[in-house]
Amino acid sequence: MKRKAVNWIILILPLIAVGFALFTYYGFADNGKQKETDHPYFVYLLLILAGIYLLFGILSLFFSKLHGKILQKAPLYTGVVVFVALLNVVITKTTLLPTLYFPSLDRIFGLMFEQRIFLLENVWSSLKLLFVGFLWGGIVGFFTGIALGYNKKVGYWLNPVTKVVGPIPTTAWIPLALSVFPTTYNANVFLIAFAVWFPVTLMTSSGIQGTSNVYFEVSSTLGAKTLFRVFRVAIPSAMPSIFLGVFYGTVSSFATLMAVEMNGNSSGIGWYINWQKQVMMYDGVYAGLILIAILCSVILTLLFKLRDKILVWQKGVIKW
């Protein structure tokens, strides 16, 4: 009985935190230096999130698995809401931080709502560029890794090149890429592909080299040809390492995306952040950063879901 009461308290903690946030929003006077917005967008966001949490909380009463997940995450949600509420107090109710560089949460979320179509267009532009670059880098890196890991003769000549070229930061190639490629778009695709190529190559090669020779010997004894040993023995064995390379490449590709979109682009979320910085509109800068964080988190989460589906025996070994 006592445990059940504690669980109920834990479940309602996020709602209490929302109430605390609303109290700090309306209970203290603003510093008068923040630009006013037409609507209290921060309050709207709090109420929407509280409504969603309440809905799932009610559903969790009928689904034990969902109940366990919400119970586990409730303290985290509470901490996030309290932190954001205190941040809003420091920004809008005090003068501890310069207003120019720290706009109110109302301004940030208001801008995201009012410019939602324009922001989504820029996100879509970034996603298309990211997809093309990631696809090229992943494919080339995958086959380069196979060649390095499986064929010692190829590895003898290609491994030194990979060790010298691969660790060079992608941003260092920007001037050369812009000079060599006919368009900025092609240069950007190359730079993102390069950021993905090295980690995928490295981890694929490492995974294949780590495959036990016993597997290759048994398959050869049973009459397996080279292609069979590569695609049915080496690659399945190296899949955990290959996925790690894809994860590292994803993070590197996002960092590169932000850098290349600030060089001659006229669209994209990186371009948007740079533009907002140049015109001293830091609410737009923070809005762009929030979108990038959400986008990267969603893509990594989907990759981990895919990994758990393919590598069932390793489900939960690496968590996101």
Side-chain angles (χ1 to χ4, degrees):
M1 189 69 180
K2 183 179 179 180
R3 181 61 183 173
K4 186 175 289 187
V6 172
N7 287 345
W8 273 105
I9 293 173
I10 293 174
L11 284 174
I12 64 173
L13 278 177
L15 298 177
I16 295 174
V18 170
F20 169 76
L22 294 174
F23 171 75
T24 58
Y25 185 91
Y26 290 108
F28 300 96
D30 292 345
N31 58 24
K33 293 187 176 181
Q34 291 286 350
K35 182 180 177 181
E36 293 187 4
T37 55
D38 295 333
H39 303 280
Y41 292 103
F42 177 49
V43 173
Y44 292 164
L45 179 64
L46 286 173
L47 294 177
I48 291 172
L49 294 177
I52 294 173
Y53 179 81
L54 186 60
L55 175 62
F56 278 94
I58 295 172
L59 291 175
S60 71
L61 298 177
F62 305 98
F63 302 97
S64 57
K65 189 174 181 180
L66 178 61
H67 182 79
K69 288 183 177 181
I70 292 181
L71 195 64
Q72 181 187 12
K73 295 290 186 180
L76 176 62
Y77 298 151
T78 303
V80 171
V81 174
V82 170
F83 171 77
V84 173
L86 294 176
L87 179 64
N88 187 62
V89 169
V90 173
I91 292 174
T92 62
K93 313 298 182 181
T94 72
T95 56
L96 295 175
L97 298 175
T99 304
L100 175 63
Y101 302 110
F102 295 93
S104 67
L105 298 183
D106 277 335
R107 288 175 57 191
I108 296 172
F109 295 128
L111 181 140
M112 294 179 70
F113 176 76
E114 293 167 0
Q115 297 188 13
R116 57 191 181 280
I117 303 300
F118 184 54
L119 285 169
L120 287 175
E121 289 174 351
N122 282 286
V123 168
W124 178 243
S125 176
S126 294
L127 278 175
K128 289 190 292 185
L129 177 60
L130 185 71
F131 175 78
V132 175
F134 191 93
L135 188 64
W136 277 107
I139 292 173
V140 175
F142 177 69
F143 285 105
T144 305
I146 292 174
L148 282 172
Y150 188 79
N151 193 305
K152 292 183 179 180
K153 292 181 179 179
V154 174
Y156 176 82
W157 294 103
L158 193 57
N159 200 38
V161 177
T162 304
K163 288 182 177 179
V164 172
V165 175
I168 298 176
T170 309
T171 51
W173 294 97
I174 291 178
L176 181 62
L178 293 173
S179 302
V180 171
F181 288 91
T183 64
T184 303
Y185 176 80
N186 291 334
N188 292 344
V189 169
F190 164 77
L191 291 166
I192 294 172
F194 181 85
V196 177
W197 166 78
F198 179 63
V200 172
T201 296
L202 182 65
M203 297 309 297
T204 302
S205 172
S206 176
I208 292 176
Q209 289 174 355
T211 303
S212 176
N213 286 328
V214 174
Y215 298 147
F216 294 116
E217 292 170 359
V218 170
S219 61
S220 298
T221 302
L222 295 174
K225 302 298 182 181
T226 300
L227 287 179
F228 184 94
R229 292 198 298 270
V230 170
F231 288 98
R232 301 298 296 273
V233 178
I235 293 176
S237 176
M239 284 302 289
S241 295
I242 293 172
F243 268 103
L244 282 177
V246 171
F247 296 146
Y248 296 148
T250 300
V251 176
S252 298
S253 67
F254 266 94
T256 305
L257 177 70
M258 292 299 98
V260 300
E261 284 191 334
M262 296 179 183
N263 292 283
N265 272 39
S266 58
S267 63
I269 198 66
W271 165 83
Y272 177 84
I273 291 173
N274 189 50
W275 168 52
Q276 292 290 288
K277 179 178 70 69
Q278 289 176 343
V279 297
M280 305 292 283
M281 296 291 290
Y282 284 90
D283 46 350
V285 173
Y286 290 116
L289 292 175
I290 291 172
L291 288 175
I292 283 295
I294 294 173
L295 190 61
C296 187
S297 180
V298 168
I299 290 176
L300 285 174
T301 300
L302 292 175
L303 285 174
F304 268 90
K305 294 290 185 183
L306 177 63
R307 179 189 184 278
D308 289 341
K309 287 290 184 182
I310 296 176
L311 307 180
V312 180
W313 70 93
Q314 281 204 336
K315 186 175 181 180
V317 175
I318 301 177
K319 296 183 180 180
W320 168 252

